[in-house]
Amino acid sequence: MVDQVGKERFLDALTHLGGSAGNVRLRETLQWEEEAYAAVKNALVESGAILTGRGRGGSVLLASGGTVEVQERQASAPKPTKAKAAKANGNTGGDLGFEADLFKAADKLRGNLEPSEYKHVALGLIFLKYISEAFEAQHARLEAEDYADPEDPEEYLAANVFWVPPEARWAHLQANAKRPEITFVDVTTGREKKGDIGGLIDNAMEAIEQANIKVLKDVLPKNYSRPQLDKTMLGELIDLFSNVDMRGDHGQARDRLGRAYEYFISQFAGAEGRRGGEFYTPRSVVQTIVEMLEPTQGRVYDPCCGSGGMFVQSERFIESHQGRRSDIAIYGQERNHTTWRLCRMNLAVRGIDADIRWNNEGSFLRDEFAQTKFDFIMANPPFNISDWWQPQLESDARWTHGTPPQGNANFAWLQHIIHHLAPRGTAGVVLANGSMSSQQSGEGEIRKALIEADHVDCMVALPGQLFYSTQIPACLWFLARDKSANGLRDRRGEILFIDARKLGHLVDRTRREFSGEDIALIADTYHCWRGKPDAVVAAGLEPYADEPGFCRSATLDEVRGNGHVLTPGRYVGAADVEDDGVSFEERFGALRAKLAEQFDAGLALEKLIKAKFAGVGSNA
């Protein structure tokens, strides 16, 4: 029999995670065995305290929504009958634990340093801490083995752990963090030199790169010794990271440091505003794309990968659904070298093996994967960029649906992505709303060609304020090379429209975010539409049905009738108004009586004001 204490622990942990969580993640948070977790979960489901979600790994949701705020959002959001229960894989930024506290403490040390500069200082040290934590854990394991050599780099390579030379280990940096002058051997020259903690960190970064040159060549920041950087601040930052247990109860350094790294990236993106949005896509937007595409097997690609958020969420999706990381291969390209380094470090902290390439020309002019096709493509290209065109692109093979306008790259990105889709490939792309309806410079003709070729699978209208880089509303394009069955429902000649503009909640005065329930609502709607009825029912969902004001499946003829405009609001219509049982005559009579009262009150107020003014005149 399940005891009350176990139930309370379960509910407390679920509440702390924002009211909803994947079963794998919640069980790891509780640190319970699978059998004990299942017993408590089943008892709470039976009592009605929690609901279960769909998916291979499954998820659970507080029946009360966890908080008043969650309940209010649930009450105001559209609820299609198909969304039998909400799900949430990972968090969307709302379930902050030690990461938020760590960032607040680190940010206090920033002083007058700009976020764009401090970002690399803090993230580089988090990466260094991770490298050292993972190394020390493997070092301890090797010491416990009879015939292993803890100082043999090959022992670490075999365990997929970075080799960390003695001069780069965190304990060495911590021991020297507050010393004004340090003598050390320069790993580049082999000569002894004097410097400060900044020089010691640079030397450690260089040592790690040299020891792991195939993976980390030119990746790590090495400018900590510059005079403008406050060395006292560096020492305090090392102390801060040293005093936080990033390994967790079971030595889970990779997960905790990965969460810290990802959270720091998001906070720096927010602090940098428009420039920050260039390297970071809000996590809830990424989760929406990942949940809809479900990249579980095959090649995953992002042609403008930024700091790698799409890849991190893909890996997290696989883990939460009890899949294997090795089932997907990750490829990406990034034009900004600094952002490319952030991405490489982000993936390394997560232990994600990926082929991420950089060149300063970008995916249009120098496509690093020109001959490669991908099963899943996810991208958040910069909106409406105007300086992308070069004459050599005029007759490019990618422009099969029309040459994109030189002043806007939106339809260049879409065609680049379609060009790279495998025969059964699917893609999710974030673009500005104008891409759905613009007729300028031939964009309308290209959009028409994409629709007539039946590459457009689903369109999602997003609310405003989701992005750091812009306040304008955006949309999600979901593309498919082939929409025929292939284990799913044959949806050729149809497009699903979802209007999600009423979803989301404000996390601060300027930025909105999707909750786990919002993401589940959108993703489940798409999967119910795309999946075969028996598979939908087996997943615990209800068959797809149009819902006025939220979703509608439209034919190509209907889209043609709307001039090939893809704005969801044109198709989903207005939400049904609930009938409260009051007749029109009764309601009209009440409104007329109320209006008469307001007229009478207005006349009385007018007489009073005139009387007051008359008194003022006579007293004068």
Side-chain angles (χ1 to χ4, degrees):
M1 182 175 179
V2 177
D3 61 69
Q4 186 62 29
V5 174
K7 292 180 180 179
E8 290 176 357
R9 280 192 61 196
F10 188 107
L11 294 174
D12 286 344
L14 186 55
T15 301
H16 178 70
L17 293 174
S20 62
N23 285 316
V24 174
R25 182 160 184 253
L26 181 55
R27 184 163 57 82
E28 289 177 350
T29 300
L30 289 164
Q31 297 171 20
W32 287 355
E33 295 296 327
E34 189 168 352
E35 185 176 346
Y37 175 89
V40 177
K41 184 191 80 170
N42 292 337
L44 289 171
V45 169
E46 186 175 347
S47 69
I50 63 173
L51 303 173
T52 58
R54 79 172 193 90
R56 280 156 288 183
S59 61
V60 288
L61 166 73
L62 286 174
S64 63
T67 65
V68 173
E69 181 185 8
V70 173
Q71 292 177 39
E72 290 174 349
R73 290 205 304 270
Q74 289 176 332
S76 62
K79 297 178 177 63
T81 55
K82 61 209 152 285
K84 180 178 180 181
K87 66 177 177 179
N89 293 307
N91 61 55
T92 61
D95 56 323
L96 307 178
F98 84 100
E99 312 101 300
D101 293 333
L102 187 63
F103 182 81
K104 287 177 183 176
D107 198 45
K108 288 180 181 177
L109 301 176
R110 178 164 61 91
N112 296 323
L113 205 61
E114 287 296 318
S116 58
E117 187 176 5
Y118 184 62
K119 168 178 64 186
H120 303 289
V121 173
L123 291 173
L125 286 177
I126 290 178
F127 180 81
L128 203 56
K129 171 75 167 168
Y130 161 72
I131 289 283
S132 194
E133 290 257 9
F135 171 84
E136 293 296 343
Q138 178 66 7
H139 194 277
R141 283 190 288 269
L142 293 173
E143 284 185 321
E145 296 180 10
D146 292 335
Y147 302 105
D149 180 4
E151 293 300 321
D152 180 5
E154 294 297 324
E155 297 276 13
Y156 296 85
L157 181 64
N160 197 28
V161 173
F162 291 108
W163 164 257
V164 181
E167 62 270 23
R169 294 172 191 174
W170 190 262
H172 179 59
L173 298 179
Q174 186 180 2
N176 290 281
K178 297 297 180 65
R179 293 179 60 189
E181 186 175 87
I182 308 165
T183 302
F184 57 91
V185 176
D186 188 318
V187 297
T188 303
T189 65
R191 299 176 182 174
E192 190 174 273
K193 65 182 293 187
K194 292 183 178 180
D196 51 28
I197 184 59
L200 196 65
I201 295 172
D202 286 343
N203 201 54
M205 296 289 190
E206 184 62 44
I208 290 173
E209 278 199 2
Q210 289 186 14
N212 305 274
I213 195 137
K214 289 184 178 179
V215 180
L216 296 178
K217 181 176 173 19
D218 297 328
V219 169
L220 306 184
K222 296 181 284 292
N223 56 355
Y224 289 86
S225 60
R226 63 188 187 277
Q228 301 90 336
L229 205 55
D230 183 354
K231 302 309 182 288
T232 300
M233 177 270 290
L234 279 181
E236 291 175 345
L237 202 54
I238 289 174
D239 279 350
L240 173 66
F241 292 154
S242 298
N243 293 332
V244 175
D245 179 14
M246 295 187 179
R247 289 173 295 179
D249 294 334
H250 296 285
Q252 297 170 326
R254 173 172 294 171
D255 181 60
R256 289 176 67 83
L257 276 164
R259 284 166 51 198
Y261 192 96
E262 186 180 5
Y263 184 73
F264 270 55
I265 286 180
S266 71
Q267 294 303 298
F268 284 128
E272 290 185 63
R274 185 174 182 83
R275 292 188 63 241
E278 295 175 4
F279 66 85
Y280 180 77
T281 305
R283 180 161 47 176
S284 70
V285 176
V286 177
Q287 280 184 280
T288 302
I289 295 173
V290 171
E291 285 288 340
M292 291 181 72
L293 293 183
E294 295 187 315
T296 55
Q297 192 171 32
R299 292 174 172 173
V300 178
Y301 169 60
D302 186 342
C304 42
C305 61
S307 55
M310 298 284 186
F311 305 137
V312 170
Q313 291 297 333
S314 296
E315 294 271 347
R316 186 174 289 155
F317 175 85
I318 289 174
E319 290 174 350
S320 68
H321 289 76
Q322 300 176 348
R324 297 180 304 175
R325 285 184 171 192
S326 58
D327 285 344
I328 66 170
I330 288 173
Y331 302 83
Q333 183 168 342
E334 174 55 44
R335 182 175 183 174
N336 183 298
H337 190 262
T338 302
T339 303
W340 171 81
R341 287 164 51 194
L342 284 180
C343 178
R344 292 290 301 275
M345 287 193 290
N346 192 15
L347 299 181
V349 165
R350 288 284 182 183
I352 297 174
D353 186 26
D355 185 354
I356 309 298
R357 302 185 189 180
W358 166 83
N359 66 61
N360 59 11
E361 296 171 282
S363 294
F364 292 138
L365 292 176
R366 186 175 163 192
D367 186 355
E368 292 285 349
F369 303 99
Q371 305 304 317
T372 310
K373 303 297 181 182
F374 301 96
D375 302 287
F376 302 97
I377 302 178
M378 299 176 285
N380 176 22
F383 293 174
N384 304 320
I385 56 171
S386 59
D387 58 349
W388 70 283
W389 180 261
Q390 293 294 330
Q392 60 264 41
L393 293 172
E394 181 65 44
S395 57
D396 195 285
R398 289 169 289 185
W399 316 146
T400 55
H401 301 289
T403 302
Q406 298 180 14
N408 193 313
N410 288 343
F411 284 90
W413 284 115
L414 288 174
Q415 293 192 83
H416 172 87
I417 287 166
I418 289 174
H419 173 79
H420 278 289
L421 281 178
R424 289 289 182 177
T426 54
V429 189
V430 187
L431 284 178
N433 266 3
S435 62
M436 298 188 290
S437 59
S438 172
Q439 302 293 338
Q440 297 179 353
S441 305
E443 289 183 330
E445 289 302 312
I446 300 175
R447 184 174 57 252
K448 175 182 177 181
L450 293 174
I451 294 168
E452 294 297 338
D454 214 8
H455 289 317
V456 182
D457 196 33
C458 175
M459 298 297 300
V460 180
L462 300 175
Q465 298 178 276
L466 282 177
F467 297 88
Y468 293 106
S469 56
T470 178
Q471 295 301 305
I472 65 171
C475 62
L476 300 179
W477 288 65
F478 286 91
L479 307 169
R481 172 67 72 181
D482 184 349
K483 290 157 59 177
S484 62
N486 191 34
L488 300 172
R489 185 181 296 186
D490 190 333
R491 286 293 189 180
R492 285 176 290 184
E494 298 176 73
I495 298 174
L496 177 64
F497 292 93
I498 298 176
D499 191 343
R501 290 176 296 173
K502 293 180 181 178
L503 300 183
H505 60 284
L506 288 172
V507 293
D508 55 43
R509 290 180 299 175
T510 61
R511 198 172 65 81
R512 185 173 292 273
E513 187 176 84
F514 282 149
S515 67
E517 294 77 32
D518 295 331
I519 295 169
L521 182 63
I522 297 168
D524 284 349
T525 299
Y526 174 70
H527 293 306
C528 289
W529 177 79
R530 197 71 179 90
K532 289 185 175 179
D534 55 345
V536 170
V537 173
L541 300 171
E542 296 181 18
Y544 173 82
D546 292 340
E547 173 154 332
F550 179 67
C551 62
R552 186 161 184 273
S553 180
T555 65
L556 287 187
D557 281 341
E558 291 176 90
V559 176
R560 292 181 188 116
N562 279 281
H564 294 91
V565 169
L566 294 175
T567 307
R570 288 203 177 198
Y571 301 91
V572 302
D576 291 333
V577 177
E578 185 176 346
D579 185 4
D580 58 6
V582 180
S583 67
F584 171 77
E585 291 79 7
E586 187 178 350
R587 188 187 304 278
F588 183 75
L591 290 173
R592 185 167 58 183
K594 182 68 174 177
L595 184 60
E597 289 178 12
Q598 292 173 342
F599 282 157
D600 290 341
L603 289 172
L605 184 60
E606 183 181 351
K607 289 179 181 178
L608 178 61
I609 293 171
K610 286 180 178 179
K612 294 292 185 182
F613 273 118
V616 172
S618 61
N619 291 334

